[in-house]
Amino acid sequence: MSALQSKFTKPFIDIFVLTWDFGLFLLNLVLPPSPPDAVVPAGAPGHAGHWPPYTPPGPNDSRSACPMLNALANHSILPHDGKNITFRRLNTTVRQSFNFAPSFCFFVPAFAANFLGRSYWTGSFDLADLSKHNAIEHDASLTRRDSAEVADQGKPDWELVEELLEGATGEGGRKLTKADLSRALAKRRVECRKRNERYSESLFHNGFGSANSSTMLTIFGGSVDDLRPMLTEERFVEGWQPRILSRFGLTMAAFNGTVLPVELGVKRAKIE
Ligand code: HEM
Ligand SMILES: *[C@@H]1O[C@H](CO)[C@@H](O)[C@H](O)[C@H]1NC(C)=O
Ligand SMILES: *[C@@H]1O[C@H](CO)[C@@H](O)[C@H](O)[C@H]1NC(C)=O
Ligand SMILES: *[C@@H]1O[C@H](CO)[C@@H](O)[C@H](O)[C@H]1NC(C)=O
Ligand SMILES: *[C@@H]1O[C@H](CO)[C@@H](O)[C@H](O)[C@H]1NC(C)=O
Ligand SMILES: *[C@@H]1O[C@H](CO)[C@@H](O)[C@H](O)[C@H]1NC(C)=O
Ligand SMILES: *[C@@H]1O[C@H](CO)[C@@H](O)[C@H](O)[C@H]1NC(C)=O
């Protein structure tokens, strides 16, 4: 019943969400930005840069291929064991903690519910479920070796993270730029194609790979000092706040302005 329902309603939901997203994009252009201390709302964890304490995960805790979601669990903003999280809670938590637009915060968890064959409205998941290969998780990531090499996608590879951050050229090496990110992605795609005989790449996953990593430039403003603890320990630094101050958060439409140049830059970096 729900599969049938989603087959017929999904295109309408997608069009609705994109229209909604574009409306928010326009509103963000005319409304003044939030003051930095109001971006994470009062009462929510992380308000004014005060993040709840973190505890390293135990052997049974579930973690995903997404550094930022793991950080939410490490700080117990999502359940610390990373299990039995409702898709609706993921929406609310990502909205509050990172100031992504509500359209994005519905779209991505709904996308995940869909590939897991569960209902967005009533379903739940463990963080590790999100690492299903070639759903969102893909080869040539910046912080994880390919799943053919390392089965546990829940942990970052510190060597890869260092390589990425050492490639930062902005402000004397303190800021990652679009060109840095394009170069890093191009390098990973070439490297992984060589060493992983089960390597796969698609336009779809390249686009999302660029989208996923572009959050480092938007939400984190490319700051190497903020990204290092986030990507190695999957931890918020005390005082960190989202760099996007727009009233309705980072819309998919605005995000495209970063993602497309990064992805196009990958092609250029490959030729050079
Ligand atoms: C809303 C729910 C979200 C879901 C379901 C999700 C899921 C995922 C998954 C499965 C990956 C692995 C892709 C790969 O193989 O590289 C990933 C990567 C990533 N995600 Fe998320 N994510 C979400 C939200 C966020 C947010 C809010 C941020 C940033 C503030 C973020 C930042 C990233 C980054 C930077 C990567 C790339 C890591 C790498 O290349 O190794 N994600 N995400
Ligand atoms: C957060 O979780 C990741 C993934 O399991 C782990 O590698 C990291 O050590 C944890 N960090 C903290 C501060 O708990
Ligand atoms: C982890 O799960 C196993 C099997 O369910 C259990 O025996 C063990 O006590 C758990 N360990 C922790 C630290 O909770
Ligand atoms: C998952 O959480 C729901 C409440 O949100 C609860 O009713 C259910 O028992 C939980 N399931 C497990 C396996 O813990
Ligand atoms: C998503 O979360 C927001 C709270 O940030 C809530 O107002 C909204 O109803 C939720 N949307 C859905 C579709 O669950
Ligand atoms: C990461 O990629 C998935 C699909 O592969 C996409 O649904 C999601 O929007 C991306 N996340 C971010 C934060 O860009
Ligand atoms: C972003 O760009 C991609 C590729 O051109 C397009 O498919 C998508 O609809 C755009 N998203 C939004 C919200 O504008």
Side-chain angles (χ1 to χ4, degrees):
M1 149 73 192
S2 85
L4 196 70
Q5 195 182 40
S6 88
K7 190 175 165 200
F8 289 106
T9 55
K10 200 177 164 300
F12 296 104
I13 293 179
D14 288 351
I15 290 166
F16 172 78
V17 172
L18 289 178
T19 310
W20 175 29
D21 183 82
F22 196 69
L24 297 175
F25 170 73
L26 295 178
L27 283 173
N28 276 337
L29 291 179
V30 296
L31 292 175
S34 302
D37 280 351
V39 172
V40 176
H47 174 64
H50 302 304
W51 297 93
Y54 68 76
T55 326
N60 294 342
D61 292 339
S62 181
R63 291 293 182 267
S64 73
C66 180
M68 319 302 181
L69 296 185
N70 288 352
L72 292 172
N74 283 346
H75 288 259
S76 306
I77 300 168
L78 288 174
H80 190 263
D81 70 0
K83 293 178 185 164
N84 201 17
I85 303 167
T86 64
F87 295 102
R88 299 179 75 170
R89 175 153 180 200
L90 188 59
N91 160 14
T92 312
T93 307
V94 170
R95 172 85 192 97
Q96 289 183 342
S97 309
F98 291 108
N99 197 26
F100 265 103
S103 43
F104 177 95
C105 295
F106 167 72
F107 192 77
V108 181
F111 181 88
N114 197 52
F115 80 68
L116 290 172
R118 298 174 198 165
S119 155
Y120 168 82
W121 303 102
T122 57
S124 56
F125 64 96
D126 294 351
L127 284 176
D129 298 342
L130 298 177
S131 305
K132 185 178 168 193
H133 187 54
N134 279 346
I136 295 180
E137 194 286 317
H138 53 82
D139 289 335
S141 304
L142 294 172
T143 72
R144 265 78 175 157
R145 298 212 181 265
D146 291 355
S147 60
E149 260 183 283
V150 177
D152 179 8
Q153 291 286 304
K155 283 198 183 77
D157 184 297
W158 288 26
E159 207 183 312
L160 289 180
V161 172
E162 267 323 302
E163 217 175 288
L164 168 70
L165 297 179
E166 275 167 15
T169 61
E171 293 179 15
R174 290 176 45 239
K175 282 250 159 91
L176 269 180
T177 66
K178 284 180 193 168
D180 297 337
L181 207 52
S182 299
R183 213 177 321 108
L185 286 165
K187 181 155 180 266
R188 287 288 294 143
R189 287 179 200 168
V190 170
E191 232 168 49
C192 291
R193 184 191 301 277
K194 257 190 241 151
R195 55 192 279 168
N196 174 7
E197 54 194 37
R198 276 185 278 161
Y199 180 75
S200 65
E201 187 182 304
S202 70
L203 196 63
F204 177 78
H205 285 117
N206 286 348
F208 280 120
S210 306
N212 286 142
S213 26
S214 292
T215 59
M216 300 186 208
L217 305 180
T218 51
I219 304 284
F220 284 81
S223 163
V224 169
D225 287 346
D226 293 347
L227 284 168
R228 183 169 276 111
M230 178 52 75
L231 297 180
T232 53
E233 297 168 85
E234 304 192 326
R235 167 171 79 76
F236 288 94
V237 284
E238 182 60 18
W240 182 82
Q241 300 185 349
R243 298 294 171 107
I244 295 288
L245 301 178
S246 314
R247 283 292 153 138
F248 290 101
L250 182 60
T251 57
M252 295 186 267
F255 198 36
N256 257 3
T258 308
V259 177
L260 290 178
V262 167
E263 183 55 29
L264 293 174
V266 171
K267 302 207 171 60
R268 237 173 293 126
K270 252 189 221 165
I271 302 162
E272 273 158 21

